């Protein structure tokens, strides 16, 4: 029997039941004999001490089980928005996903954020409406919520009986059920006219087999999202979900004999402190003792490989296309690195980077050096922690998503490294946006130009959220192909130099939402025309001149500092509005749409990220404990008042060095 592999992500808003569902699936597949509990800290995937203490998932974890001929590598992800980076890192290695929605709470803020990302990446996704046993569960309401707020392309695969009780069951719709058939036809006809034609022609001749096959085809293409119902706690509906995983999601494709290609999505330290890389293979086979290329130009020898087999990691001699493995021996390998000669699927930025940063201070000043080493190790497992060192002030700061992540970093430093630290006040990480267009050029051999290159660059503002776009608009004959081989390679390198330079704008913040166009280019060669005659230009000339020219262009364009904001949805008792409104005003929130009802009122407001935690803290007192708050990132907005400046973290070498 030919085995297939399905690399499956389980994603959801915090507490929807991902880890409990994972446990239930492992049990149903016969991998574990006893179902662990999140609340007791006994699950397979919440294995870190901190996860067990807090009852939340912090790191993504891989477990494996089999459904018939399919090996499922399941990745249980954290739902708390502070750990969204963990989700981002696994997205690039998934064949499919299960999005868990609570039957009590319905679609929540993070559910939507995750669904948008799954849709953007066209990852085939099943939806599991969980907790049908819990008081207040309402499967019908959850389904409506999903259709209205997540995606209209859904088909309910079962109906629920006895919801809100331990006896709740989900019964799969029979293929012959007329209502189910007509719903299927409706949804599938969106992308397949033949289905509709056959149905209209003669309903009875459209076979159930054909409908099922079309459903599978369209689900595998991420066009339709079948919705399952059940309870991870009682096990109701889990068998149907399992059958759906094998039938409706695409197992990994890839050529085991092809060239080696894979992506690193997680780094862990082993018992002896050695680095372990989690790799998803897209093509080819890696054996122990193979030499591998990874990252931009690193190389290492694989000393050990382990695969996930029925819940445990098992030593193997090789890992092939489609599989996930842990690799030892690859020295400096990092998250996001691709291995092999061929590009794998690149890791893309799907969610926002952290918007806060905080200075970390060791309680014992003797510990400063150890703290630096410890943070560097945390950053290798979580690159977005982005440790910054301010040499002038002798301070170390880390970027963060929120308070919970901060507490986790603090506890990890204490537990794993024996380091007691305090955090100074959390401050926003601002960004800069250009406010106009600006252009600058440095000409080869001009007095002002210390490098052997001509570079002209223009900066233009671009729509909010569009980040950085680089375009090459020069005569290809002016590009030093002897250095960069191809025009594409030159463009890629210039793109990278530009991105590097834009990490610190006029006020010291990341510059974003702009288009940078290269308008002039030239280089010198020994036998060139007089204006270009000279020692040959090197790549370093282009790399070092780029920031000089770009900063001049940016100065001409001008920038504005923008702060991160969140949009909060509040549900509060109507008689507490008199207390909540002034509190919102004090926090600098702009209230968008209050909707007043007799008992409960809802409203949304946008406020600076730094104030969201204050609001969360004040809410219980303001609303007699009745207020509910959900928040999601709402983009960057120009700061009012003076423009906050960040000191330069590290001296920008290109700006201070004169020699090429
Ligand atoms: N009644 C009921 N409770 C459930 C069900 N699934 C999970 N829970 C409970 O919900 C809580 C959260 O469950 P988890 O499995 O940790 O949720 P999660 O989605 O993994 O949470 P994070 O990883 O922290 O985002 C726990 O107290 C579970 O016992 C269910 O089907 N029914
Ligand atoms: Mg969990």
């Amino acid at each position: 029997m030919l085995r297939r592999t399905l690399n499956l992500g389980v994603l959801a808003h915090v507490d929807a039941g991902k880890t409990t569902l994972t446990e239930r699936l492992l049990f149903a597949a016969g991998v574990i004999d006893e179902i662990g509990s999140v609340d007791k800290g006994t699950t397979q995937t919440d294995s870190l001490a901190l996860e067990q203490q807090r009852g939340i998932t912090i790191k993504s974890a891989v477990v494996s089980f089999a459904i018939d001929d399919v090996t499922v590598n399941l990745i249980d992800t954290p739902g708390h928005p502070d750990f969204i980076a963990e989700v981002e890192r696994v997205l690039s290695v998934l064949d499919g996903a299960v999005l868990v929605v609570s039957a009590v709470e319905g679609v929540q803020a993070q559910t939507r954020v995750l669904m948008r990302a799954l849709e953007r990446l066209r990852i085939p996704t099943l939806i599991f409406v969980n907790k049908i046993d819990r008081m207040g569960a309402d499967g019908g309401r959850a389904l409506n919520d999903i259709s209205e707020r997540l995606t209209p392309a859904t088909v309910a695969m079962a109906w629920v009986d006895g919801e809100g009780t331990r006896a709740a069951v989900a019964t799969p719709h029979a293929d012959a059920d007329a209502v189910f058939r007509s719903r299927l036809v409706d949804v599938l006809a969106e992308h397949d006219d033949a289905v509709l034609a056959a149905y209209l022609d003669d309903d009875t001749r459209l076979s159930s087999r054909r409908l099922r096959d079309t459903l599978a085809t369209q689900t595998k293409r991420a066009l339709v999202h079948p919705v399952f119902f059940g309870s991870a706690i009682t096990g109701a509906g889990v068998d149907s979900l399992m059958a759906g995983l094998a039938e409706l999601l695409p197992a990994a494709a890839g050529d085991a004999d092809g060239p080696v290609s894979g992506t690193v999505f997680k780094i862990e330290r082993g018992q002896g402190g050695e680095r372990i890389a989690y790799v998803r293979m897209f093509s080819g086979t890696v054996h122990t003792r193979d030499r591998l290329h990874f990252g931009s130009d690193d190389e290492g020898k694989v000393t050990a490989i382990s695969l996930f087999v029925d819940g445990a990691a098992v030593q193997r001699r090789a890992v092939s296309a489609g599989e996930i493995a842990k690799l030892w021996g690859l020295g400096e390998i990092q998250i996001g690195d691709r291995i092999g000669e061929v590009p794998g699927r690149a890791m893309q930025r799907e969610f926002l980077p952290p918007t806060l940063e905080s200075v970390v201070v060791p309680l014992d000043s003797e510990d400063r050096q150890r703290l630096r080493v410890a943070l560097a190790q945390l950053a290798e497992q979580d690159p977005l922690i982005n440790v910054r060192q301010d040499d002038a002030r002798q301070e170390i700061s880390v970027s963060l998503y929120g308070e919970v992540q901060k507490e986790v970093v603090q506890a990890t430093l204490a537990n794993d490294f024996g380091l007691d630290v305090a955090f100074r006040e959390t401050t926003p990480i601002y960004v800069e946006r250009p406010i106009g267009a600006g252009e600058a050029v440095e000409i080869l051999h001009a007095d002002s130009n210390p490098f052997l290159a001509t570079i002209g660059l223009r900066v233009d503002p671009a729509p909010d959220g569009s980040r950085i776009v680089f375009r090459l608009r020069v005569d290809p004959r002016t590009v030093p192909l002897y250095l960069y081989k191809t025009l594409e390679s030159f463009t890629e390198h210039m793109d990278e130099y530009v991105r590097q330079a834009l990490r610190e704008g006029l006020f010291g913040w990341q510059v974003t939402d702009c288009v940078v166009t290269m308008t002039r280019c030239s280089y010198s060669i020994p036998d060139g025309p007089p204006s270009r005659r000279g020692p040959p230009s090197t790549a370093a000339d282009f790399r070092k001149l780029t920031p000089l020219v770009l900063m001049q262009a940016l100065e001409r364009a001008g920038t504005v500092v923008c702060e991160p904001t969140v949009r909060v949805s509040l549900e509060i008792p109507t008689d507490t509005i008199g207390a909540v409104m002034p509190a919102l005003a004090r926090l600098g929130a702009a209230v968008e749409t209050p909707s007043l009802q007799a008992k409960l009122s809802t409203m949304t407001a946008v406020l600076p990220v730094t104030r969201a935690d204050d609001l969360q803290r004040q809410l219980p007192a303001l609303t007699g404990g009745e207020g509910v708050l959900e928040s999601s990132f709402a983009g960057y907005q120009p700061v009012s008042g003076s423009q906050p400046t960040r000191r330069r973290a590290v001296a920008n070498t290109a700006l201070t060095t004169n020699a090429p």
Side-chain angles (χ1 to χ4, degrees):
M1 188 166 57
L2 193 67
R3 293 209 65 82
R4 298 177 296 147
T5 307
L6 170 68
N7 296 300
L8 177 76
V10 181
L11 280 64
H13 190 93
V14 66
D15 264 2
K18 297 170 291 293
T19 301
T20 311
L21 178 63
T22 302
E23 204 67 14
R24 176 55 74 172
L25 289 167
L26 289 172
F27 179 76
V31 169
I32 52 176
D33 301 330
E34 222 174 301
I35 300 179
S37 143
V38 170
D39 308 297
K40 294 196 192 107
T42 52
T43 63
Q44 299 292 311
T45 46
D46 281 356
S47 56
L48 300 177
L50 263 182
E51 296 182 314
Q52 293 166 0
Q53 283 155 21
R54 293 179 162 250
I56 61 167
T57 304
I58 295 168
K59 296 248 171 223
S60 295
V62 184
V63 286
S64 163
F65 58 90
I67 312 173
D68 303 327
D69 62 333
V70 183
T71 299
V72 182
N73 289 321
L74 182 154
I75 310 181
D76 178 23
T77 64
H80 195 286
D82 278 14
F83 308 114
I84 188 79
E86 285 288 311
V87 183
E88 175 161 273
R89 293 194 267 277
V90 308
L91 286 175
S92 64
V93 306
L94 299 180
D95 302 309
V98 173
L99 184 68
V100 182
V101 175
S102 160
V104 182
E105 281 84 10
V107 170
Q108 296 169 280
Q110 200 69 355
T111 324
R112 297 172 66 179
V113 171
L114 295 168
M115 187 68 192
R116 293 286 94 85
L118 290 165
E119 281 181 329
R120 268 198 307 273
L121 295 168
R122 308 190 54 116
I123 296 175
T125 301
L126 307 184
I127 296 171
F128 185 69
V129 176
N130 188 31
K131 304 197 184 183
I132 59 167
D133 63 298
R134 232 183 80 195
M135 204 169 76
D138 186 337
R141 189 184 58 208
L143 185 64
N144 276 338
D145 215 19
I146 290 166
S147 305
E148 279 169 19
R149 298 171 63 209
L150 280 188
T151 166
T154 59
V155 192
M157 302 300 287
W159 51 282
V160 183
D161 227 1
E163 53 195 346
T165 69
R166 291 288 293 192
V169 286
T171 313
H173 285 302
D175 282 345
D177 182 301
V179 180
F180 177 56
R181 272 176 73 84
S182 104
R183 171 69 194 155
L184 261 183
V185 170
D186 261 2
V187 172
L188 299 177
E190 276 288 313
H191 301 282
D192 189 341
D193 295 339
V195 167
L196 184 61
Y199 181 70
L200 293 179
D201 182 37
D202 178 1
D203 170 19
T204 55
R205 279 190 32 222
L206 180 60
S207 75
S208 298
R209 186 71 258 153
R210 165 123 182 248
L211 274 179
R212 282 271 170 188
D213 288 349
T214 312
L215 177 65
T217 311
Q218 291 198 12
T219 307
K220 287 176 189 180
R221 291 174 58 205
L223 298 172
V224 179
H225 306 290
V227 182
F228 294 82
F229 296 83
S231 162
I233 287 280
T234 68
V238 171
D239 287 344
S240 306
L241 175 68
M242 277 184 93
L245 295 177
E247 184 191 338
L248 301 170
L249 292 179
D255 179 5
D257 300 322
V260 167
S261 167
T263 299
V264 178
F265 64 95
K266 173 174 167 137
I267 297 278
E268 200 175 71
R269 289 268 175 173
Q271 302 275 319
E274 75 280 16
R275 217 182 273 206
I276 307 169
Y278 284 62
V279 178
R280 151 86 203 248
M281 295 294 295
F282 288 97
S283 157
T285 300
V286 170
H287 300 87
T288 42
R289 292 203 284 280
D290 280 358
R291 287 203 81 79
L292 282 186
H293 290 278
F294 55 85
S296 39
D297 50 17
D298 281 320
E299 216 190 59
K301 189 161 119 184
V302 181
T303 53
I305 297 176
S306 86
L307 257 60
F308 296 89
V309 180
D310 284 354
V314 177
Q315 293 281 331
R316 284 288 152 86
R317 305 248 301 277
V319 52
S320 295
E323 296 175 327
I324 284 177
K326 298 203 248 185
L327 301 186
W328 279 256
L330 301 177
E332 296 299 300
I333 199 158
Q334 293 171 1
I335 288 183
D337 274 357
R338 302 182 214 166
I339 63 162
E341 309 290 347
V342 230
R345 238 196 289 176
M347 200 161 283
Q348 288 174 23
R349 173 57 53 75
E350 290 305 325
F351 308 109
L352 277 141
T355 52
L356 298 169
E357 78 181 338
S358 194
V359 174
V360 200
V361 204
L363 295 190
D364 181 347
S365 61
E366 301 278 294
D367 280 341
R368 186 162 285 138
Q369 183 52 29
R370 284 209 308 130
L371 174 61
R372 214 167 286 168
V373 174
L375 285 173
Q377 246 189 58
L378 292 190
E380 107 204 349
Q381 292 166 27
D382 187 351
L384 289 181
I385 280 187
N386 193 20
V387 183
R388 278 196 341 122
Q389 165 93 27
D390 186 326
D391 287 327
R393 291 208 226 170
Q394 287 281 303
E395 280 175 355
I396 309 173
S397 56
V398 292
S399 45
L400 296 165
Y401 279 97
E403 290 301 315
V404 175
Q405 188 190 14
K406 184 158 118 182
E407 289 165 26
V408 165
V409 170
Q410 190 169 28
T412 308
L413 288 172
N415 299 346
D416 298 359
F417 299 90
L419 279 166
D420 288 322
V421 301
F423 283 89
R424 292 239 207 90
E425 190 192 356
T426 307
T427 52
I429 300 176
Y430 298 94
V431 297
E432 285 178 50
R433 287 195 182 115
I435 38 182
E439 187 160 2
V441 59
E442 280 290 347
I443 308 274
L444 182 67
H445 300 325
D447 288 344
S448 61
N449 185 355
F451 303 110
L452 288 172
T454 294
I455 293 180
L457 292 170
R458 196 177 69 235
V459 178
D460 289 289
D464 292 1
S466 60
R467 301 178 197 170
I468 299 169
V469 176
F470 174 75
R471 298 185 310 204
L472 191 70
R473 292 284 181 277
V474 300
D475 184 337
R477 285 169 303 185
T478 63
V479 170
L481 289 183
Y482 69 92
L483 286 173
Y484 294 95
K485 305 275 189 300
T486 63
L487 209 55
E488 287 71 44
S489 165
F490 179 68
T491 310
E492 267 171 36
H493 279 87
M494 281 304 300
D495 186 300
E496 185 52 36
Y497 306 157
V498 161
R499 266 167 224 282
Q500 279 294 331
L502 291 181
R503 285 167 66 165
E504 291 190 13
L506 305 180
F507 298 92
W509 306 102
Q510 170 79 51
V511 180
T512 187
D513 301 336
C514 60
V515 177
V516 177
T517 312
M518 183 162 189
T519 52
R520 296 273 304 268
C521 182
S522 186
Y523 58 95
S524 74
I525 38 172
D527 57 353
S531 65
R532 291 178 40 215
R533 192 166 301 159
S537 306
T538 64
D541 288 310
F542 283 86
R543 179 165 49 80
K544 291 178 178 175
L545 184 55
T546 299
L548 291 184
V549 177
L550 193 50
M551 285 306 126
Q552 283 176 39
L554 204 58
E555 253 160 48
R556 289 175 191 154
T559 64
V560 60
V561 176
C562 302
E563 68 182 336
T565 62
V566 285
R567 175 171 290 105
V568 294
S569 310
L570 287 164
E571 196 182 85
I572 57 170
T574 301
D575 57 12
T576 63
I577 284 190
V580 173
M581 284 296 207
L584 285 172
R586 277 196 299 277
L587 293 170
V591 177
E592 282 178 342
T593 45
S595 141
L596 308 186
Q597 248 106 64
K599 274 196 168 144
L600 277 183
S601 292
T602 56
M603 62 179 78
T604 60
V606 173
L607 72 166
V609 163
T610 39
R611 299 302 181 82
D613 280 313
D614 296 338
L615 180 60
Q616 182 90 60
R617 263 195 300 275
Q618 292 174 20
L619 199 63
L622 292 169
T623 60
E626 296 282 302
V628 181
L629 176 155
E630 265 190 16
S631 56
S632 56
F633 185 76
Y636 291 90
Q637 284 182 6
V639 294
S640 45
S642 67
Q643 308 273 300
T645 310
R646 168 145 89 181
R647 292 147 162 266
R648 292 206 179 276
V650 267
N652 189 330
T653 43
L655 288 171
T656 51
T657 323
N658 279 324

